[in-house]
Amino acid sequence: MIKIHNTLTREKEIFTPIEENKVRMYVCGPTVYNYIHIGNARSSIAFDVIRRYFEYRGYEVNYVSNFTDVDDKIIKAAKELSVTAPEVADRFIAAFEEDTTALNVKPATLHPRVMDHISDIIEFIQVLVDKGFAYEAQGDVYYRTRKFEHYGELSDQSVDELEVGASQRTGAEQVIKEDPLDFALWKSAKPEEISWESPWGAGRPGWHIECSVMATKHLGETIDIHGGGQDLEFPHHENEIAQSEAKTGKHFANYWMHNGYVTIGEDDVKMSKSLGNFVTVHDLVKEIDPQILRFFMATTQYRRPIRYSEATMKDAQANLQKLRTAFENALFRQSNAEESLANDTEKLIELRELKDRFIEEMDDDFNAANGITVVYEVAKWLNHYNEQTQVSTNVLTEAVAEFTKMLTVFGIEFQAAGLLDEEVDQLIEERNQARKDKNFVRSDEIRDQLKEQGIILEDTPQGVRWRRA
């Protein structure tokens, strides 16, 4: 049984889907005005692992994650770049897709965009106005926060506590609102800004309304899981609940999930664009193997903070290489075993016990840290089994298949070694001839080619020997 820590109840709860063996999952996506940094990527990777584990356990996942393509930050970026807001959005959606593909994040079942849902947003807001949950003020439309009796429950705050902070805000918007706690559903148009016509005049959606509209439109009025970064818990997700439940009269999401921050520096400060202490995925994957970054991010339990540093990245690289070596050695033994046992029941039982432990750990709120520990044990088991004089081909085949499935949950996919033994021998023979011909350029090219394939050459008095790294 999969158990999920529900932010709303602050307890672990057994996951019971609305539809048997199906998961309706909405995860807040990026505001596309710049390249994503690794703190942003944490959410994409964390919920990708969760989605993959549901699929590993046999669920069909309808995974929706939006692009916020209308926003103050996008409008500001458009002015700075002297282009339109849609052009900024298109550019950085393409960049997001490029970066997340490099990190082996599966595309969402659907990536809806705000600009494609303006009419839906206007209709949604109109229902809230008709029900008395929203009101128009000088072309803006605001939500009456106090009218929703459950406001503050997700973030565990009382309305009185929230009022203290809200009362300290200043500005023209605060003057026209009925209550400092009220938040914008629709913003009236400013000169030269992108806008759409509505019953309240030209304007554009507020940030919070978009996710309520797209989640309910594409997944239904009640969904299984709503996720996002810890920083979205308040006010974004709190406001989503208020809007959605006021409109539909139904429970919005059965489980709320929030991933932890990525921190940086000795003081473990949260990585963010506003603090300027961020590293973009776009730049980082030019310097390191994206799979190392993926492995680093995917193997921490999603609610825990991750500390980014060169040291932690090196640890991830070393651990990933251990798993890769175990995988390649197992494949090599599989294809080169001269003797094999007809069966090996004891080892098969050990392997299946490891699989059961992996499921037990991952079922416990997707505990990736404990889950990957079991994967390390499978790698150790594979290494020991490969050292035996005789192995069962059937057991080895099942072990490689299960090892591969476990790694896929974390988004790690190893490829089989590219060269067969005879191909290596042919290249070495060609290299020897190139050296006799004093064609040292070609000789070095072949050595480098073999090295890239994990083949190490050793020049000895008896000739060239080779081994797999």
Side-chain angles (χ1 to χ4, degrees), residues 2-15 154 254-257 302-303 364-365:
I2 295 175
K3 293 183 179 179
I4 296 175
H5 181 273
N6 190 344
T7 308
L8 184 63
T9 62
R10 287 164 284 284
E11 293 181 355
K12 283 184 186 177
E13 301 174 1
I14 295 172
F15 176 68
L154 180 70
N254 289 335
Y255 305 88
W256 285 88
M257 303 177 70
Y302 74 96
R303 290 192 297 116
D364 184 15
D365 197 27

PDB file of all heavy atoms in Angstrom, residues 2-15 154 254-257 302-303 364-365:
ATOM      1  N   ILE A   2       0.626   2.122  -0.943  1.00  0.00           N
ATOM      2  CA  ILE A   2       1.366   3.372  -0.997  1.00  0.00           C
ATOM      3  C   ILE A   2       0.800   4.346   0.028  1.00  0.00           C
ATOM      4  O   ILE A   2      -0.408   4.553   0.101  1.00  0.00           O
ATOM      5  CB  ILE A   2       1.298   3.982  -2.409  1.00  0.00           C
ATOM      6  CG1 ILE A   2       2.016   3.075  -3.413  1.00  0.00           C
ATOM      7  CG2 ILE A   2       1.898   5.381  -2.437  1.00  0.00           C
ATOM      8  CD1 ILE A   2       1.906   3.538  -4.847  1.00  0.00           C
ATOM      9  N   LYS A   3       1.691   4.932   0.816  1.00  0.00           N
ATOM     10  CA  LYS A   3       1.291   5.944   1.791  1.00  0.00           C
ATOM     11  C   LYS A   3       1.887   7.287   1.396  1.00  0.00           C
ATOM     12  O   LYS A   3       3.050   7.361   0.989  1.00  0.00           O
ATOM     13  CB  LYS A   3       1.750   5.554   3.201  1.00  0.00           C
ATOM     14  CG  LYS A   3       1.053   4.332   3.769  1.00  0.00           C
ATOM     15  CD  LYS A   3       1.522   4.053   5.187  1.00  0.00           C
ATOM     16  CE  LYS A   3       0.809   2.838   5.774  1.00  0.00           C
ATOM     17  NZ  LYS A   3       1.287   2.541   7.148  1.00  0.00           N
ATOM     18  N   ILE A   4       1.079   8.345   1.516  1.00  0.00           N
ATOM     19  CA  ILE A   4       1.496   9.685   1.120  1.00  0.00           C
ATOM     20  C   ILE A   4       1.355  10.635   2.303  1.00  0.00           C
ATOM     21  O   ILE A   4       0.323  10.644   2.982  1.00  0.00           O
ATOM     22  CB  ILE A   4       0.633  10.197  -0.055  1.00  0.00           C
ATOM     23  CG1 ILE A   4       0.847   9.326  -1.298  1.00  0.00           C
ATOM     24  CG2 ILE A   4       0.938  11.663  -0.366  1.00  0.00           C
ATOM     25  CD1 ILE A   4      -0.069   9.693  -2.457  1.00  0.00           C
ATOM     26  N   HIS A   5       2.403  11.446   2.516  1.00  0.00           N
ATOM     27  CA  HIS A   5       2.283  12.500   3.521  1.00  0.00           C
ATOM     28  C   HIS A   5       1.445  13.620   2.910  1.00  0.00           C
ATOM     29  O   HIS A   5       1.867  14.281   1.967  1.00  0.00           O
ATOM     30  CB  HIS A   5       3.650  13.045   3.919  1.00  0.00           C
ATOM     31  CG  HIS A   5       3.582  14.110   4.961  1.00  0.00           C
ATOM     32  ND1 HIS A   5       3.400  15.448   4.647  1.00  0.00           N
ATOM     33  CD2 HIS A   5       3.640  14.059   6.323  1.00  0.00           C
ATOM     34  CE1 HIS A   5       3.365  16.151   5.759  1.00  0.00           C
ATOM     35  NE2 HIS A   5       3.509  15.336   6.783  1.00  0.00           N
ATOM     36  N   ASN A   6       0.259  13.803   3.451  1.00  0.00           N
ATOM     37  CA  ASN A   6      -0.677  14.806   2.947  1.00  0.00           C
ATOM     38  C   ASN A   6      -0.433  16.125   3.684  1.00  0.00           C
ATOM     39  O   ASN A   6      -0.627  16.214   4.902  1.00  0.00           O
ATOM     40  CB  ASN A   6      -2.114  14.325   3.172  1.00  0.00           C
ATOM     41  CG  ASN A   6      -3.145  15.186   2.474  1.00  0.00           C
ATOM     42  OD1 ASN A   6      -2.863  16.304   2.052  1.00  0.00           O
ATOM     43  ND2 ASN A   6      -4.364  14.676   2.358  1.00  0.00           N
ATOM     44  N   THR A   7       0.008  17.141   2.938  1.00  0.00           N
ATOM     45  CA  THR A   7       0.280  18.439   3.561  1.00  0.00           C
ATOM     46  C   THR A   7      -0.958  18.989   4.268  1.00  0.00           C
ATOM     47  O   THR A   7      -0.847  19.641   5.307  1.00  0.00           O
ATOM     48  CB  THR A   7       0.755  19.463   2.510  1.00  0.00           C
ATOM     49  OG1 THR A   7       1.843  18.913   1.771  1.00  0.00           O
ATOM     50  CG2 THR A   7       1.206  20.758   3.159  1.00  0.00           C
ATOM     51  N   LEU A   8      -2.134  18.720   3.710  1.00  0.00           N
ATOM     52  CA  LEU A   8      -3.370  19.261   4.271  1.00  0.00           C
ATOM     53  C   LEU A   8      -3.649  18.720   5.668  1.00  0.00           C
ATOM     54  O   LEU A   8      -4.050  19.449   6.570  1.00  0.00           O
ATOM     55  CB  LEU A   8      -4.551  18.968   3.344  1.00  0.00           C
ATOM     56  CG  LEU A   8      -5.901  19.542   3.749  1.00  0.00           C
ATOM     57  CD1 LEU A   8      -5.855  21.069   3.770  1.00  0.00           C
ATOM     58  CD2 LEU A   8      -7.001  19.055   2.808  1.00  0.00           C
ATOM     59  N   THR A   9      -3.429  17.418   5.872  1.00  0.00           N
ATOM     60  CA  THR A   9      -3.717  16.803   7.169  1.00  0.00           C
ATOM     61  C   THR A   9      -2.461  16.645   8.025  1.00  0.00           C
ATOM     62  O   THR A   9      -2.556  16.315   9.204  1.00  0.00           O
ATOM     63  CB  THR A   9      -4.348  15.412   6.968  1.00  0.00           C
ATOM     64  OG1 THR A   9      -3.414  14.556   6.268  1.00  0.00           O
ATOM     65  CG2 THR A   9      -5.640  15.509   6.169  1.00  0.00           C
ATOM     66  N   ARG A  10      -1.285  16.840   7.393  1.00  0.00           N
ATOM     67  CA  ARG A  10       0.004  16.662   8.052  1.00  0.00           C
ATOM     68  C   ARG A  10       0.176  15.258   8.611  1.00  0.00           C
ATOM     69  O   ARG A  10       0.792  15.033   9.655  1.00  0.00           O
ATOM     70  CB  ARG A  10       0.206  17.741   9.146  1.00  0.00           C
ATOM     71  CG  ARG A  10       0.476  19.107   8.561  1.00  0.00           C
ATOM     72  CD  ARG A  10       0.297  20.234   9.535  1.00  0.00           C
ATOM     73  NE  ARG A  10      -1.107  20.534   9.772  1.00  0.00           N
ATOM     74  CZ  ARG A  10      -1.888  21.206   8.916  1.00  0.00           C
ATOM     75  NH1 ARG A  10      -1.404  21.629   7.775  1.00  0.00           N
ATOM     76  NH2 ARG A  10      -3.155  21.440   9.187  1.00  0.00           N
ATOM     77  N   GLU A  11      -0.376  14.287   7.905  1.00  0.00           N
ATOM     78  CA  GLU A  11      -0.271  12.877   8.282  1.00  0.00           C
ATOM     79  C   GLU A  11      -0.018  12.027   7.046  1.00  0.00           C
ATOM     80  O   GLU A  11      -0.361  12.418   5.925  1.00  0.00           O
ATOM     81  CB  GLU A  11      -1.563  12.396   8.952  1.00  0.00           C
ATOM     82  CG  GLU A  11      -1.840  13.037  10.307  1.00  0.00           C
ATOM     83  CD  GLU A  11      -3.122  12.513  10.927  1.00  0.00           C
ATOM     84  OE1 GLU A  11      -3.835  11.724  10.252  1.00  0.00           O
ATOM     85  OE2 GLU A  11      -3.421  12.888  12.065  1.00  0.00           O
ATOM     86  N   LYS A  12       0.574  10.841   7.267  1.00  0.00           N
ATOM     87  CA  LYS A  12       0.695   9.870   6.173  1.00  0.00           C
ATOM     88  C   LYS A  12      -0.635   9.153   6.025  1.00  0.00           C
ATOM     89  O   LYS A  12      -1.214   8.682   7.017  1.00  0.00           O
ATOM     90  CB  LYS A  12       1.799   8.857   6.461  1.00  0.00           C
ATOM     91  CG  LYS A  12       3.196   9.383   6.239  1.00  0.00           C
ATOM     92  CD  LYS A  12       4.212   8.271   6.445  1.00  0.00           C
ATOM     93  CE  LYS A  12       5.625   8.815   6.371  1.00  0.00           C
ATOM     94  NZ  LYS A  12       6.636   7.760   6.636  1.00  0.00           N
ATOM     95  N   GLU A  13      -1.097   9.074   4.790  1.00  0.00           N
ATOM     96  CA  GLU A  13      -2.380   8.441   4.522  1.00  0.00           C
ATOM     97  C   GLU A  13      -2.231   7.388   3.427  1.00  0.00           C
ATOM     98  O   GLU A  13      -1.437   7.562   2.495  1.00  0.00           O
ATOM     99  CB  GLU A  13      -3.404   9.496   4.081  1.00  0.00           C
ATOM    100  CG  GLU A  13      -3.635  10.597   5.111  1.00  0.00           C
ATOM    101  CD  GLU A  13      -4.539  11.702   4.581  1.00  0.00           C
ATOM    102  OE1 GLU A  13      -4.995  11.598   3.420  1.00  0.00           O
ATOM    103  OE2 GLU A  13      -4.767  12.675   5.314  1.00  0.00           O
ATOM    104  N   ILE A  14      -2.979   6.316   3.536  1.00  0.00           N
ATOM    105  CA  ILE A  14      -2.982   5.292   2.487  1.00  0.00           C
ATOM    106  C   ILE A  14      -3.592   5.887   1.230  1.00  0.00           C
ATOM    107  O   ILE A  14      -4.654   6.506   1.273  1.00  0.00           O
ATOM    108  CB  ILE A  14      -3.769   4.044   2.933  1.00  0.00           C
ATOM    109  CG1 ILE A  14      -3.061   3.379   4.118  1.00  0.00           C
ATOM    110  CG2 ILE A  14      -3.928   3.056   1.778  1.00  0.00           C
ATOM    111  CD1 ILE A  14      -3.860   2.253   4.752  1.00  0.00           C
ATOM    112  N   PHE A  15      -2.898   5.713   0.114  1.00  0.00           N
ATOM    113  CA  PHE A  15      -3.383   6.271  -1.148  1.00  0.00           C
ATOM    114  C   PHE A  15      -4.532   5.430  -1.682  1.00  0.00           C
ATOM    115  O   PHE A  15      -4.391   4.237  -1.951  1.00  0.00           O
ATOM    116  CB  PHE A  15      -2.265   6.328  -2.186  1.00  0.00           C
ATOM    117  CG  PHE A  15      -2.737   6.818  -3.534  1.00  0.00           C
ATOM    118  CD1 PHE A  15      -3.148   8.136  -3.702  1.00  0.00           C
ATOM    119  CD2 PHE A  15      -2.802   5.955  -4.623  1.00  0.00           C
ATOM    120  CE1 PHE A  15      -3.595   8.594  -4.937  1.00  0.00           C
ATOM    121  CE2 PHE A  15      -3.244   6.406  -5.859  1.00  0.00           C
ATOM    122  CZ  PHE A  15      -3.646   7.727  -6.020  1.00  0.00           C
ATOM    123  N   LEU A 154      -4.519  24.520   4.715  1.00  0.00           N
ATOM    124  CA  LEU A 154      -3.389  23.855   4.064  1.00  0.00           C
ATOM    125  C   LEU A 154      -2.068  24.297   4.669  1.00  0.00           C
ATOM    126  O   LEU A 154      -1.195  23.479   4.969  1.00  0.00           O
ATOM    127  CB  LEU A 154      -3.394  24.139   2.554  1.00  0.00           C
ATOM    128  CG  LEU A 154      -2.251  23.501   1.757  1.00  0.00           C
ATOM    129  CD1 LEU A 154      -2.425  21.990   1.684  1.00  0.00           C
ATOM    130  CD2 LEU A 154      -2.173  24.082   0.346  1.00  0.00           C
ATOM    131  N   ASN A 254      -7.444  15.296  -3.135  1.00  0.00           N
ATOM    132  CA  ASN A 254      -7.449  14.391  -1.984  1.00  0.00           C
ATOM    133  C   ASN A 254      -6.106  14.348  -1.269  1.00  0.00           C
ATOM    134  O   ASN A 254      -6.049  14.067  -0.071  1.00  0.00           O
ATOM    135  CB  ASN A 254      -7.848  12.987  -2.440  1.00  0.00           C
ATOM    136  CG  ASN A 254      -9.318  12.917  -2.828  1.00  0.00           C
ATOM    137  OD1 ASN A 254     -10.133  13.714  -2.352  1.00  0.00           O
ATOM    138  ND2 ASN A 254      -9.670  11.993  -3.703  1.00  0.00           N
ATOM    139  N   TYR A 255      -5.019  14.581  -1.996  1.00  0.00           N
ATOM    140  CA  TYR A 255      -3.682  14.549  -1.401  1.00  0.00           C
ATOM    141  C   TYR A 255      -2.883  15.748  -1.917  1.00  0.00           C
ATOM    142  O   TYR A 255      -2.817  15.981  -3.124  1.00  0.00           O
ATOM    143  CB  TYR A 255      -2.941  13.255  -1.757  1.00  0.00           C
ATOM    144  CG  TYR A 255      -3.698  12.005  -1.393  1.00  0.00           C
ATOM    145  CD1 TYR A 255      -4.602  11.437  -2.289  1.00  0.00           C
ATOM    146  CD2 TYR A 255      -3.525  11.390  -0.154  1.00  0.00           C
ATOM    147  CE1 TYR A 255      -5.321  10.293  -1.966  1.00  0.00           C
ATOM    148  CE2 TYR A 255      -4.240  10.250   0.186  1.00  0.00           C
ATOM    149  CZ  TYR A 255      -5.135   9.705  -0.724  1.00  0.00           C
ATOM    150  OH  TYR A 255      -5.846   8.573  -0.395  1.00  0.00           O
ATOM    151  N   TRP A 256      -2.274  16.472  -0.976  1.00  0.00           N
ATOM    152  CA  TRP A 256      -1.410  17.601  -1.326  1.00  0.00           C
ATOM    153  C   TRP A 256       0.030  17.229  -1.010  1.00  0.00           C
ATOM    154  O   TRP A 256       0.334  16.796   0.101  1.00  0.00           O
ATOM    155  CB  TRP A 256      -1.818  18.852  -0.547  1.00  0.00           C
ATOM    156  CG  TRP A 256      -3.073  19.474  -1.083  1.00  0.00           C
ATOM    157  CD1 TRP A 256      -4.355  19.179  -0.723  1.00  0.00           C
ATOM    158  CD2 TRP A 256      -3.165  20.478  -2.106  1.00  0.00           C
ATOM    159  NE1 TRP A 256      -5.234  19.937  -1.460  1.00  0.00           N
ATOM    160  CE2 TRP A 256      -4.532  20.746  -2.305  1.00  0.00           C
ATOM    161  CE3 TRP A 256      -2.213  21.190  -2.847  1.00  0.00           C
ATOM    162  CZ2 TRP A 256      -4.973  21.690  -3.237  1.00  0.00           C
ATOM    163  CZ3 TRP A 256      -2.655  22.130  -3.773  1.00  0.00           C
ATOM    164  CH2 TRP A 256      -4.021  22.372  -3.960  1.00  0.00           C
ATOM    165  N   MET A 257       0.918  17.405  -2.007  1.00  0.00           N
ATOM    166  CA  MET A 257       2.321  17.015  -1.844  1.00  0.00           C
ATOM    167  C   MET A 257       3.227  18.189  -2.206  1.00  0.00           C
ATOM    168  O   MET A 257       2.990  18.878  -3.207  1.00  0.00           O
ATOM    169  CB  MET A 257       2.644  15.815  -2.743  1.00  0.00           C
ATOM    170  CG  MET A 257       1.763  14.604  -2.494  1.00  0.00           C
ATOM    171  SD  MET A 257       2.115  13.237  -3.634  1.00  0.00           S
ATOM    172  CE  MET A 257       3.729  12.731  -3.044  1.00  0.00           C
ATOM    173  N   TYR A 302      11.511  13.234  -1.488  1.00  0.00           N
ATOM    174  CA  TYR A 302      11.056  14.484  -2.102  1.00  0.00           C
ATOM    175  C   TYR A 302      10.771  15.621  -1.119  1.00  0.00           C
ATOM    176  O   TYR A 302      10.908  16.803  -1.458  1.00  0.00           O
ATOM    177  CB  TYR A 302       9.809  14.229  -2.961  1.00  0.00           C
ATOM    178  CG  TYR A 302       8.535  13.999  -2.176  1.00  0.00           C
ATOM    179  CD1 TYR A 302       7.636  15.030  -1.926  1.00  0.00           C
ATOM    180  CD2 TYR A 302       8.226  12.731  -1.675  1.00  0.00           C
ATOM    181  CE1 TYR A 302       6.479  14.826  -1.186  1.00  0.00           C
ATOM    182  CE2 TYR A 302       7.070  12.516  -0.952  1.00  0.00           C
ATOM    183  CZ  TYR A 302       6.199  13.557  -0.703  1.00  0.00           C
ATOM    184  OH  TYR A 302       5.052  13.352   0.019  1.00  0.00           O
ATOM    185  N   ARG A 303      10.409  15.312   0.124  1.00  0.00           N
ATOM    186  CA  ARG A 303      10.079  16.381   1.081  1.00  0.00           C
ATOM    187  C   ARG A 303      11.324  16.959   1.767  1.00  0.00           C
ATOM    188  O   ARG A 303      11.250  17.998   2.403  1.00  0.00           O
ATOM    189  CB  ARG A 303       9.109  15.856   2.140  1.00  0.00           C
ATOM    190  CG  ARG A 303       7.719  15.569   1.606  1.00  0.00           C
ATOM    191  CD  ARG A 303       6.700  15.342   2.707  1.00  0.00           C
ATOM    192  NE  ARG A 303       6.984  14.185   3.520  1.00  0.00           N
ATOM    193  CZ  ARG A 303       7.282  14.212   4.818  1.00  0.00           C
ATOM    194  NH1 ARG A 303       7.334  15.365   5.463  1.00  0.00           N
ATOM    195  NH2 ARG A 303       7.529  13.104   5.475  1.00  0.00           N
ATOM    196  N   ASP A 364       6.456   3.854   1.224  1.00  0.00           N
ATOM    197  CA  ASP A 364       6.413   4.733   2.385  1.00  0.00           C
ATOM    198  C   ASP A 364       6.718   6.164   1.953  1.00  0.00           C
ATOM    199  O   ASP A 364       7.827   6.660   2.109  1.00  0.00           O
ATOM    200  CB  ASP A 364       7.420   4.256   3.434  1.00  0.00           C
ATOM    201  CG  ASP A 364       7.355   5.086   4.713  1.00  0.00           C
ATOM    202  OD1 ASP A 364       6.363   5.831   4.910  1.00  0.00           O
ATOM    203  OD2 ASP A 364       8.302   5.005   5.512  1.00  0.00           O
ATOM    204  N   ASP A 365       5.727   6.825   1.363  1.00  0.00           N
ATOM    205  CA  ASP A 365       5.836   8.224   0.958  1.00  0.00           C
ATOM    206  C   ASP A 365       7.003   8.446  -0.009  1.00  0.00           C
ATOM    207  O   ASP A 365       7.718   9.425   0.087  1.00  0.00           O
ATOM    208  CB  ASP A 365       5.975   9.135   2.187  1.00  0.00           C
ATOM    209  CG  ASP A 365       5.688  10.601   1.864  1.00  0.00           C
ATOM    210  OD1 ASP A 365       4.927  10.868   0.920  1.00  0.00           O
ATOM    211  OD2 ASP A 365       6.240  11.469   2.568  1.00  0.00           O
TER     212      ASP A 365
END
